[in-house]
Amino acid sequence: MAIERASWLGVVAINAALTIAAAVVTWNGGPSPWAVAAVTSVLVFLVLLRKR
């Protein structure tokens, strides 16, 4: 079970990093939908990290 949690945490961390990168790249004078996705991804990552 611990291995599964660690792998999920890695997947969520990579997803958050890629989504943040997309939000930064597409930021043209204002927030894009990627910014909302990035915030959501980071929040999910923090929740999983806290449960660990």
Side-chain angles (χ1 to χ4, degrees):
M1 184 79 169
I3 295 172
E4 290 178 14
R5 276 195 194 151
S7 62
W8 274 113
L9 190 60
V11 169
V12 172
I14 291 170
N15 182 42
L18 290 174
T19 309
I20 290 168
V24 169
V25 169
T26 60
W27 192 283
N28 292 326
S32 69
W34 284 107
V36 176
V39 170
T40 304
S41 294
V42 169
L43 289 176
V44 169
F45 175 71
L46 292 174
V47 166
L48 289 178
L49 190 63
R50 186 166 186 178
K51 283 186 176 182
R52 188 172 181 234

